[in-house]
Amino acid sequence: MADAATEKKAQQVRERITPAVVDEAIAAAKKATDSGRIADWNDTEQRYLTLRQRGRSVRWIVRAYGLSRKIGSATGIHVDPTYLSLRDAREKAKQVYADMAGGKLDEAPPEAAPEALKPTTWTWADLDREYQAMIAQPRWINRRMKPASKGTCDDVRLAFAKPSYQALHPLLLTELNRPLLNEARNGVVPRDPDKRSGVHRQREKCVTYFRAAMSWAADKHPDESGLTEDVDRWWERLSAGEPKPEEMAEIMARQALHRERKDKITVEHIGAVLARHETYCSGRSAEDKISPASDLDCGGSASQRTGASAQSNSAVLS
């Protein structure tokens, strides 16, 4: 009776279920504070198909002939074995509806009790947001202020935006583990299957920044994150894995080109660069003395700027 009363109070929407509707339901689940509140999106294309958000869960349901069947989850593409995309949910709903019509499903299983809300410690989505906000601000390191690095911020943003890492957003940090993160790492693949150049480096960045974010949460926000002193710091043992043979060849080729360009830099080139740096630093102090990458027409991360500076100076000063 309590479940029936709750369902009567549920928010009922009748519209065609689209990817945008699924995103809306998932967003509502992430913000849920009441595990008993229900919101149903009832499809107008397949009128027996319902997308139900209850607490922090979002599930596909088929309702017909007085029966109700949960057929899968709309979240957790990499972590929930019952996950169904919108297309897959429509196909499965057709089969379940046919079984209901043929009498193969005579009785509805008892409605499961609503899942209790999980403790309010951080999810990976929370840490993703908090860590990026932190590195975007000046930091106090070794009794000195370290300015934010746009290159590092961009690297972290791109690493955490990989779909396989985004899929972990709903999980609490305390629910993450090595197999899940290895799967997320392996999910970083090239857009063009025939071009694997740089994939290993991307995986290295993803693993490195994930480790840094988790360690920051454990060290600076143990109570909020749930990563208290009694939690094993398993993330510190994560690895980016080994590059494939073809990637090894590409890496070696890039390293050889880098060495070749470095060999072309002479003492005169270095002296000219130092002279330009002294001119730039004149009248400046502290972090304002950092050489302008734009003056050398190069950007990107620190490691990219180092190589690009050498190449640019070699070309300009030769």
Side-chain angles (χ1 to χ4, degrees):
M1 293 296 291
D3 287 341
T6 301
E7 188 158 340
K8 287 180 181 179
K9 296 179 181 178
Q11 172 189 340
Q12 299 289 332
V13 178
R14 174 68 67 177
E15 63 179 318
R16 183 175 182 273
I17 297 176
T18 63
V21 171
V22 177
D23 291 342
E24 180 183 350
I26 293 173
K30 289 180 179 179
K31 299 176 182 178
T33 57
D34 182 356
S35 61
R37 182 183 178 279
I38 296 175
D40 285 346
W41 285 265
N42 303 297
D43 193 39
T44 54
E45 181 176 324
Q46 293 170 258
R47 300 185 67 85
Y48 47 82
L49 178 61
T50 294
L51 179 65
R52 170 169 292 181
Q53 178 257 319
R54 185 172 192 168
R56 292 183 181 172
S57 69
V58 183
R59 301 194 178 279
W60 299 106
I61 296 176
V62 173
R63 295 191 292 184
Y65 304 105
L67 303 176
S68 177
R69 281 290 184 277
K70 293 180 181 178
I71 62 173
S73 172
T75 62
I77 181 172
H78 290 286
V79 297
D80 190 335
T82 68
Y83 170 80
L84 292 175
S85 66
L86 174 56
R87 177 181 296 180
D88 292 339
R90 289 192 180 281
E91 289 301 316
K92 187 168 183 178
K94 290 178 184 178
Q95 182 60 53
V96 173
Y97 179 72
D99 290 343
M100 287 180 172
K104 295 181 180 180
L105 302 177
D106 294 329
E107 295 182 3
E111 181 76 11
E115 297 179 2
L117 290 179
K118 297 173 182 177
T120 55
T121 54
W122 282 355
T123 63
W124 169 235
D126 295 326
L127 178 53
D128 182 349
R129 180 190 65 249
E130 295 296 328
Y131 185 72
Q132 291 200 55
M134 182 274 296
I135 63 173
Q137 302 297 323
R139 289 172 283 165
W140 190 251
I141 299 176
N142 295 329
R143 303 184 67 182
R144 295 182 61 183
M145 185 179 75
K146 180 179 179 181
S149 165
K150 183 179 184 302
T152 298
C153 290
D154 289 343
D155 277 350
V156 173
R157 175 178 54 80
L158 292 173
F160 291 171
K162 302 295 184 187
S164 56
Y165 283 82
Q166 289 277 306
L168 301 176
H169 266 186
L171 297 181
L172 296 174
L173 299 182
T174 51
E175 293 177 326
L176 299 177
N177 54 46
R178 181 177 51 79
L180 284 176
L181 268 298
N182 284 346
E183 184 178 350
R185 175 203 65 196
N186 295 338
V188 178
V189 295
R191 293 183 179 179
D192 185 346
D194 297 328
K195 297 180 180 179
R196 295 197 58 85
S197 178
V199 171
H200 181 67
R201 181 58 183 146
Q202 290 181 41
R203 291 180 176 181
E204 284 183 326
K205 288 185 177 183
C206 289
V207 171
T208 297
Y209 291 131
F210 176 83
R211 287 195 309 235
M214 291 286 284
S215 293
W216 173 77
D219 295 340
K220 303 296 185 180
H221 301 278
D223 295 325
E224 298 93 327
S225 68
L227 304 178
T228 52
E229 293 79 3
D230 58 335
V231 174
D232 176 44
R233 297 172 75 102
W234 55 268
W235 58 87
E236 296 180 349
R237 300 189 291 273
L238 289 174
S239 165
E242 298 293 335
K244 294 183 178 297
E246 58 269 27
E247 290 182 278
M248 294 181 189
E250 292 171 353
I251 292 171
M252 294 299 292
R254 287 197 300 270
Q255 290 176 343
L257 179 61
H258 182 65
R259 288 193 297 269
E260 178 184 347
R261 289 172 172 170
K262 285 182 65 178
D263 289 342
K264 294 180 180 179
I265 298 176
T266 67
V267 174
E268 289 76 15
H269 294 153
I270 297 174
V273 172
L274 290 175
R276 292 175 66 184
H277 182 69
E278 287 296 326
T279 301
Y280 174 80
C281 289
S282 178
R284 291 179 168 85
S285 61
E287 67 272 6
D288 292 333
K289 289 187 177 182
I290 297 174
S291 295
S294 59
D295 190 44
L296 297 175
D297 192 24
C298 60
S301 63
S303 61
Q304 292 172 324
R305 287 197 296 271
T306 302
S309 297
Q311 297 167 28
S312 177
N313 290 325
S314 178
V316 171
L317 299 174
S318 60

